[in-house]
Amino acid sequence: MHPPEKQIATSVLVIGTGGAGLRAAIELAERGCDVLAVGKRPKADAHTSLAAGGINAALATMDSEDSWQQHAADTLKESYLLANPQTVRIVAEGAARGIEDLQRWGMPFAREQDGRISQRFFGAHTYRRTAYAGDYTGLEIQRTLINRAAQLDVPILDTVYITRILVRDNAVFGAYGFSLADGNRYVIHADAVILAAGGHTRIWRRTSSRRDENTGDSFRLAVQAGCRIRDAELVQFHPSGLIAPENAAGTLVSEAARGEGGILRNQVGERFMSRYDPERMELSTRDRIALAAYTEIKEGRGTPDGGVWLDVSHLPRETIMTRLPRVYQTLLELQMLDITKDPIEIAPTAHYSMGGVWVRPDDHGTGVDGLYAIGEAASGLHGANRLGGNSLIELLVFGRIVGQAAAEYSAGLDAQHRSAEALDAARAEVDELLAADGPENVRSLQRALRDIMTEYAGVVRDESGLGKGLAELTAVEARITDVGVHPDRAGFHDLAHAFDLKSAALAARATIETALERRETRGCHNRSDYPELDPALQVNLVWSGPGSVEREAIPPIPGEVAALMREVSTVGKLVE
């Protein structure tokens, strides 16, 4: 006898209630399609709400010369030619529409005195094209989408953990999961499933993701369903994450702090960027600043706690209070530190999964019929370095497109073919973990895994380190089969952590195996044993399970966009 299960049927199931998932759900509801959105954490607290910088679209409100073609060119150039040109075109061309949608739903964008949406420089953009709301743009976008979803009566199941996507004969028919509160099981039948469950940056020790989010759930759910993972090794490390306090390690210090004139120094007081990028200094790109800080720390010139100093105390107090209010407030709350007087201790921090589930550029289909992936769960837009502000616009553009594609797919189905075997396997997986009473502790294995990724697959990698990492990972994978899971009155979080751990192990393996294969240095991927860029590796690496990495050719860049690709000056601009 299996435990009671709540049966739900819907036309389209959305897994994940961040910006991407909500935008897709809104599109479905507006088209009159039956939709259900499910998230493992409360929707108001999705990771999207942490995005500070802004959202990109070539609106040309500030610089009339800007165009979607130039936005596409900047994105492709910054991707180190690993982004898919078609994906890039769709996002750049659809960006203005994405901003219009948000405006229509009440998003409070910063505006110029004449009412135009204000735009600022952000990273390697040729023109000002980043729209924003203070330094809490993501939070306002998430609020706007939640309000719109509520107006449309979109049903949202918070705190339900999806453990498996249900598939029969390479076609999706729903998903299986449980409630984090009481452990009740859910069988959700759906014609189509949209996977919007984020990335895998929580598998590093220092990360801007919070506990229990971005643990690689998208990777595991997709691979189990028969999908592949592309560019797993391409992970963006943000240059400035806090080191202390321990429970807030990885909290980001906005790059606005450098954009406004912040200075980076090592333990001996040297302004070390002069060694790495004397032209741009602190206004260099994310990948370069992270590498510089990492190198200083690794070579023994870091602080005793393994960081470097970011100093804004020489700036006028007024500048700090008006331009960096969130940074000021955060440091006061977390460390009792007054940044108008003292420097901030920071270190490179795992920040964004530029790779993700393999999807087609046009409709983000995964190759499994009826299964789509969007947002940080998907791949194709960012290549080896993401332009700041591009991730938020990607959510809106592909949320809309995939909502439409899923609605049409559902409407065109003759019948939904289900499989009792697939359902039994999903049920058994949860039953087995609940019955697990082994000696291994889930949290300590998660920590072991994060230590492995930080030590061997962090900012700088090499063959021997990655090989060691793989051996240690194999040992951890063996221990995962001996975990003990103990739900209690507070809920079934222990069971969720065990699934998070499975996801993290799979994502770690995909990352290390593809990092071994990419024997070059390109963008965020630094191989100290292969310091040069290798033109033969201008390909995407596609992982379909342990030991299986294939090279995928990238389509050519169209002439109108290629003509606009050039080195972009960063003088007076905010780095990404």
Side-chain angles (χ1 to χ4, degrees), residues 163-164 166 176 185 421-431:
T163 59
R164 191 174 285 219
L166 301 171
Y176 192 81
R185 311 286 184 89
E421 289 81 13
L423 186 51
D424 283 341
R427 200 175 274 142
E429 185 181 32
V430 180
D431 290 342

Side-chain angles (χ1 to χ4, degrees), residues 184-469:
N184 284 349
R185 311 286 184 89
Y186 284 84
V187 178
I188 304 168
H189 286 115
D191 299 337
V193 173
I194 298 173
L195 185 56
H200 69 308
T201 49
R202 184 68 215 179
I203 68 174
W204 280 267
R205 198 163 50 217
R206 282 198 194 114
T207 163
S208 55
S209 297
R210 298 161 301 184
R211 283 176 81 149
D212 312 323
E213 67 181 9
N214 290 324
T215 43
D217 304 23
S218 298
F219 283 33
R220 184 181 57 85
L221 288 169
V223 169
Q224 242 177 4
C227 310
R228 300 170 298 153
I229 304 294
R230 175 169 52 199
D231 294 342
E233 79 283 13
L234 301 178
V235 174
Q236 187 168 64
F237 284 82
H238 192 291
S240 50
L242 297 181
I243 295 178
E246 181 67 39
N247 65 350
T251 300
L252 296 185
V253 175
S254 167
E255 292 180 287
R258 296 203 314 279
E260 296 296 341
I263 288 171
L264 289 166
R265 290 200 175 86
N266 61 18
Q267 185 58 16
V268 290
E270 295 171 303
R271 193 171 170 186
F272 59 82
M273 281 312 296
S274 56
R275 270 198 280 278
Y276 304 91
D277 193 344
E279 282 287 288
R280 301 188 280 191
M281 295 292 284
E282 283 85 5
L283 292 182
S284 185
T285 54
R286 258 186 201 175
D287 53 337
R288 288 199 191 178
I289 296 227
L291 178 59
Y294 174 87
T295 307
E296 291 295 309
I297 295 161
K298 197 81 173 164
E299 291 179 0
R301 294 185 295 278
T303 63
D305 289 333
V308 294
W309 298 107
L310 169 60
D311 193 3
V312 293
S313 63
H314 56 284
L315 299 176
R317 186 180 169 87
E318 190 194 357
T319 301
I320 291 173
M321 297 323 240
T322 54
R323 304 272 187 125
L324 305 170
R326 203 175 182 175
V327 180
Y328 177 81
Q329 198 57 40
T330 301
L331 269 300
L332 212 52
E333 282 170 16
L334 290 177
Q335 297 181 4
M336 291 294 288
L337 181 83
D338 181 351
I339 63 169
T340 64
K341 299 189 179 122
D342 297 303
I344 311 161
E345 193 175 11
I346 56 162
T349 294
H351 177 52
Y352 189 88
S353 305
M354 291 180 289
V357 179
W358 182 96
V359 289
R360 297 185 291 263
D362 55 338
D363 69 349
H364 272 34
T366 60
V368 174
D369 298 339
L371 179 55
Y372 305 85
I374 49 175
E376 199 174 352
S379 60
L381 178 64
H382 308 294
N385 200 32
R386 171 174 75 82
L387 269 179
N390 268 359
S391 50
L392 288 176
I393 196 62
E394 176 187 18
L395 310 179
L396 296 169
V397 174
F398 277 112
R400 177 171 62 80
I401 289 169
V402 171
Q404 180 181 346
E408 286 167 5
Y409 174 84
S410 170
L413 276 189
D414 293 335
Q416 187 189 93
H417 294 285
R418 300 175 181 176
S419 153
E421 289 81 13
L423 186 51
D424 283 341
R427 200 175 274 142
E429 185 181 32
V430 180
D431 290 342
E432 272 165 40
L433 268 181
L434 269 179
D437 198 19
E440 294 287 357
N441 177 291
V442 170
R443 282 296 199 202
S444 67
L445 289 179
Q446 280 181 331
R447 201 166 304 123
L449 208 139
R450 287 206 290 271
D451 287 344
I452 292 168
M453 295 307 288
T454 302
E455 186 63 34
Y456 303 116
V459 180
V460 178
R461 304 152 176 188
D462 64 40
E463 196 92 18
S464 80
L466 290 164
K468 277 185 206 151

